[in-house]
Amino acid sequence: MNSEIFSDRFFLRFFFCILMIVLFLSCAAEKMSVKEAEQVSVTMNKESFVPPPRRIDDILSILDQPGNYHPATVRKIIASANEEPPITDNPVTLGRFYDKRGQSAFQLGLHQQQLRDLRKALSYAEIEPGKRRDNYNNIYYSNLLFNLAVAEAFAGNFKRGISHMNKSVTAKQTIQAASFGQIPLSVKYYLLAEFYLGIGDFQSAEKYIDKGIQLCRQIANDTDPRLTGQGGNRYKAYFKIDEARLNATLLEARGQYAEAEPHLRTVLKRVAIRFKHRQPFVYIEARKQLAINLASQGRFIDAEFEA
């Protein structure tokens, strides 16, 4: 199976994309839809009103709209993606720069720039392939591997993505590490599951989904004094988002879209509170996932409304 097919499958699972809508168009046609009901019941001047047909492009054109985000946030992301590299030969400084610029490019949908920048960042972060520089912060290195894993998967390079993500998973999940910006381990399990689903390896995908759900529940029930108070509650909240997302992924992988919907609504509600203005890309992807879930159920009007 070539990389183009890998890439198509990844977009299908990771963003619940075009092919999933195609698969469920035929299911929606077997019973009267909202559109058909409108055609039967609505008349104007004694002539039947025929609403415009719902097509794949109709849903996707709505999902592709940029949304309304805080202007200052958008300007900051654009400036970061266009920033020139610093004049220095310090590999740590250059590695951090290209990592940050690559992440900004990702949020703007500039995936080729994202991949170039993150590969370059890794070349500065390592003395040789797979060996981190001693003076390159371990959390930064782990996060860079995570970011590059996502970029590689977007490009259809699933084996590279899985390899980078597995290296990133070795970093231990602690509240102290999270306070220094470590990407939650549950997110890494979630994406590993998506990568494996992208290549049709359902057994490996379910293994990582189960690991992720167990981790989220373990943290939610943790009585460690450091996890109390406002900071601890914020920390636990991230894992509640990931538990819902993991449950939705598992159910959708089994074709249980209606059962997955409540979990996706939980994700969207929590993401709107914590990410809408700080990281708009996260919010818009949560909206897309819910909209495509509804379209996969044949509920195209609802999908347009949510989109």
Side-chain angles (χ1 to χ4, degrees):
M1 186 178 293
N2 60 37
S3 61
E4 182 179 355
I5 297 175
F6 280 151
S7 182
D8 289 341
R9 290 181 67 98
F10 173 68
F11 279 110
L12 165 65
R13 290 298 313 151
F14 188 62
F15 295 120
F16 305 101
C17 227
I18 300 173
L19 183 56
M20 187 176 290
I21 299 176
V22 175
L23 293 174
F24 283 85
L25 281 174
S26 58
C27 297
E30 293 177 358
K31 56 183 179 181
M32 181 173 285
S33 64
V34 174
K35 178 188 69 175
E36 293 168 331
E38 289 176 339
Q39 291 175 339
V40 172
S41 61
V42 179
T43 60
M44 296 183 71
N45 298 325
K46 298 183 179 181
E47 293 182 3
S48 295
F49 170 70
V50 181
R54 296 294 189 269
R55 299 177 304 146
I56 296 172
D57 291 343
D58 296 330
I59 303 295
L60 294 178
S61 65
I62 294 173
L63 295 179
D64 286 338
Q65 293 174 7
N68 298 315
Y69 302 116
H70 198 285
T73 301
V74 176
R75 288 195 297 269
K76 184 177 179 181
I77 295 170
I78 292 173
S80 177
N82 292 325
E83 189 176 355
E84 292 294 326
I87 302 174
T88 180
D89 58 359
N90 186 315
V92 175
T93 300
L94 289 168
R96 292 285 294 137
F97 168 80
Y98 282 108
D99 187 6
K100 180 182 177 183
R101 195 173 77 171
Q103 292 178 63
S104 298
F106 182 37
Q107 294 192 60
L108 296 174
L110 305 174
H111 300 303
Q112 290 185 350
Q113 178 188 331
Q114 172 205 9
L115 187 57
R116 289 194 305 269
D117 281 352
L118 294 180
R119 283 177 175 174
K120 188 171 289 188
L122 188 64
S123 72
Y124 285 116
E126 296 181 336
I127 299 175
E128 58 186 58
K131 187 175 182 180
R132 175 180 61 89
R133 289 183 181 276
D134 291 338
N135 59 342
Y136 202 96
N137 181 279
N138 189 47
I139 291 178
Y140 290 162
Y141 179 65
S142 174
N143 288 356
L144 170 57
L145 288 169
F146 170 90
N147 294 330
L148 183 54
V150 174
E152 293 287 3
F154 261 84
N157 305 321
F158 284 91
K159 290 184 179 179
R160 288 184 183 178
I162 290 170
S163 176
H164 290 315
M165 191 66 76
N166 275 321
K167 292 175 185 175
S168 179
V169 162
T170 60
K172 186 178 180 181
Q173 179 66 56
T174 66
I175 189 171
Q176 292 92 343
S179 68
F180 286 104
Q182 182 193 57
I183 294 171
L185 186 55
S186 55
V187 174
K188 298 174 183 180
Y189 285 146
Y190 163 71
L191 287 178
L192 274 169
E194 293 287 3
F195 295 170
Y196 279 114
L197 287 171
I199 60 175
D201 187 344
F202 294 95
Q203 184 175 359
S204 295
E206 289 202 7
K207 180 183 79 172
Y208 282 105
I209 289 173
D210 288 341
K211 280 188 174 184
I213 291 174
Q214 290 174 18
L215 174 67
C216 291
R217 290 175 178 172
Q218 175 188 335
I219 292 174
N221 297 323
D222 198 330
T223 57
D224 189 322
R226 292 172 297 181
L227 297 181
T228 59
Q230 186 175 4
N233 289 334
R234 283 200 305 267
Y235 179 72
K236 289 183 177 182
Y238 287 109
F239 292 94
K240 290 178 181 178
I241 292 172
D242 288 334
E243 182 181 358
R245 185 162 46 183
L246 285 158
N247 276 308
T249 299
L250 180 61
L251 290 166
E252 290 198 330
R254 295 172 176 171
Q256 297 173 290
Y257 297 95
E259 292 82 354
E261 181 186 341
H263 295 290
L264 291 175
R265 290 191 180 278
T266 297
V267 169
L268 182 59
K269 179 180 178 181
R270 294 182 179 276
V271 162
I273 295 171
R274 300 194 174 274
F275 292 105
K276 187 173 183 179
H277 297 302
R278 289 194 300 113
Q279 293 178 306
F281 174 81
V282 177
Y283 173 70
I284 196 169
E285 290 307 323
R287 286 180 56 193
K288 286 183 180 181
Q289 288 176 0
L290 176 58
I292 294 181
N293 172 278
L294 294 169
S296 299
Q297 297 180 52
R299 294 162 56 188
F300 298 107
I301 301 293
D302 291 341
E304 285 192 25
F305 177 77
E306 292 294 343

